Structures are given as structure tokens and as C-alpha cells.
Amino acid sequence: AQTVTQSQPEMSVQEAETVTLSCTYDTSESDYYLFWYKQPPSRQMILVIRQEAYKQQNATENRFSVNFQKAAKSFSLKISDSQLGDAAMYFCAYRFNFGNEKLTFGTGTRLTIIP
Amino acid sequence: DAEITQSPRHKITETGRQVTLACHQTWNHNNMFWYRQDLGHGLRLIHYSYGVQDTNKGEVSDGYSVSRSNTEDLPLTLESAASSQTSVYFCASSDGRKGINYNEQFFGPGTRLTVL
């Protein structure tokens, strides 16, 4: 079974600084997707960024980027120029590619932005 | 605009009662999912469906059931609510076909259930 581990229950960063959230996963598959979801206090789950395992290039979305290390099974999220609106729970998630869309989530990292 | 809604948003019930949480999506998505969120566990899959009349158990399905009679709805039923089922419940849907959003799940706003 696939597992996703987020070893940082809480992180904090000064506004405008850069922070990196860690995620590791375990799978025997070679073709899969990885995701970062943001959950603000409103509880709404918002997709931040996704990475396809067969793509070597790291995904980026504006201030959000990932460092995908397939061999190490590591998938970290970097938030640049942190803003107050980035404060939220962040969940890393895994999904096998072929015909199976179930998501396996990590336990989450609570990110606090210090003004 | 297409959306996914859940009702009620908050529910308090007593141990032993039957409870049904509604999930309705207007995306015309084939796939629908139910997750529960608990502190220290993230989101865990309860049940899921890949189409009408199709239902499957997830990793924490004991005490829960679902049925899929149409594309838009996947209600989650707790047959006899237990205090261990106090949680926040999320419904999600995804297209299931290849395309730009093929691999994205869209989540509802969640239902907070308290079992006393």
C-alpha cells in the first residue's frame, strides 16, 4: 500500500520569506501523480500544484514550486515571497495513474505566516 | 458555474442514530469520493464510486455505506452513529476521462459531524 509522510506538523515563516514543506512517499509504482493541497481556515481543499512522475521537470505555479526527487521518493513544496494568505494546512497527496483515482494523503503541515 | 455541494454543513447527532450526509455535484463527473479528516490522520478514503451503480470500499469503510443511483449524487450513510465517527467529512469528484483536468479531484466544503 502507498503511504505519504509529512514529518513537519507545523512550520512558520516570516512574511516575504521562502519556506519549504517536506513530503516523502512510498510506492512500488513508476507512473503516478503527486499533489499539494492547501486547506485554509474555511476548510475548503484547494489544489496548489501537481506533478506527474514521468515528467522530470519540476512543476511551478507562480510562487509555488516543487522539488521532485523520484529516486528518493521526495516531493517538497517551496513557497516563495510568503504572504499572509498562504497561512493554511498543506497536504501532500499521491495517486496512482492508471484507472485508479484514489488519493492517499499525508497528515498535513500547518503553516503560519509571521507578519 | 459547476460546483460540488455538501449538506448539512454541521450536524450533531446521538450515538446509535442513522445519519445521511448529502453530496451533489453539477460537474457531470463520473467519479465521486468520500473522505474523513481527523487530526493527525489527514484525509482518509471512506468509499468511492466510478459511475452509477458502482461503489467501492476505501480504507476506513466500516460503519459507512454509499449508493450511487445517478451521476450527480453520492450520499454517505452512517447506519448507527458512533462517537468515533465524529469528524469532518469531505466529498470530492473527478472527471475520469483524459483531459486537462483528468487527474484533479474537486472537493466540497465539508460537513462537520459530531456524535454525542
Side-chain angles (χ1 to χ4, degrees):
Chain A
Q2 292 77 24
T3 58
V4 178
T5 302
Q6 294 179 250
S7 58
Q8 306 155 315
E10 297 182 349
M11 293 280 286
S12 60
V13 63
Q14 293 276 354
E15 193 175 1
E17 296 295 309
T18 296
V19 64
T20 298
L21 308 184
S22 300
C23 173
T24 59
Y25 59 95
D26 186 26
T27 182
S28 58
E29 306 296 340
S30 60
D31 196 359
Y32 49 86
Y33 291 96
L34 296 164
F35 306 87
W36 280 99
Y37 279 89
K38 172 185 178 181
Q39 186 181 44
S42 67
R43 270 197 334 234
Q44 183 67 51
M45 294 289 288
I46 302 166
L47 179 64
V48 174
I49 199 166
R50 65 172 174 245
Q51 175 78 42
E52 295 160 273
Y54 65 86
K55 290 187 176 179
Q56 292 187 333
Q57 186 173 5
N58 289 325
T60 62
E61 288 287 343
N62 300 314
R63 298 182 295 107
F64 298 87
S65 61
V66 299
N67 183 5
F68 174 48
Q69 301 290 329
K70 191 172 184 178
K73 297 181 181 176
S74 171
F75 182 60
S76 60
L77 175 70
K78 185 172 80 171
I79 306 174
S80 304
D81 184 25
S82 298
Q83 300 176 0
L84 294 177
D86 296 333
M89 282 289 289
Y90 286 82
F91 292 97
C92 179
Y94 164 98
R95 202 206 90 192
F96 178 53
N97 189 18
F98 293 106
N100 182 340
E101 296 190 37
K102 298 180 291 181
L103 288 171
T104 300
F105 286 88
T107 52
T109 297
R110 181 173 300 282
L111 179 64
T112 300
I113 310 298
I114 303 168
Chain B
D1 288 345
E3 61 179 354
I4 179 166
T5 57
Q6 294 183 233
S7 61
R9 295 295 308 278
H10 302 272
K11 174 78 175 177
I12 299 174
T13 190
E14 295 177 342
T15 301
R17 289 190 180 270
Q18 184 181 79
V19 177
T20 297
L21 308 182
C23 174
H24 179 79
Q25 53 97 3
T26 58
W27 293 93
N28 199 33
H29 283 167
N30 293 322
N31 305 330
M32 297 184 73
F33 308 83
W34 274 104
Y35 297 90
R36 61 176 288 175
Q37 181 179 10
D38 305 287
L39 195 62
H41 289 279
L43 280 76
R44 292 179 292 174
L45 184 64
I46 305 172
H47 281 286
Y48 59 102
S49 168
Y50 288 151
V52 176
Q53 302 301 330
D54 175 74
T55 61
N56 306 278
K57 293 181 178 180
E59 63 176 306
V60 290
S61 61
D62 287 349
Y64 303 94
S65 64
V66 294
S67 63
R68 185 94 180 266
S69 59
N70 59 52
T71 300
E72 296 79 19
D73 300 289
L74 186 69
L76 177 70
T77 297
L78 288 69
E79 300 293 343
S80 177
S83 58
S84 60
Q85 295 177 308
T86 293
S87 186
V88 178
Y89 291 85
F90 286 95
C91 181
S93 71
S94 65
D95 190 311
R97 298 173 299 170
K98 277 201 176 293
I100 193 168
N101 287 328
Y102 166 64
N103 54 359
E104 180 174 356
Q105 286 189 21
F106 296 87
F107 284 80
T111 293
R112 181 177 295 278
L113 176 68
T114 302
V115 182
L116 301 176

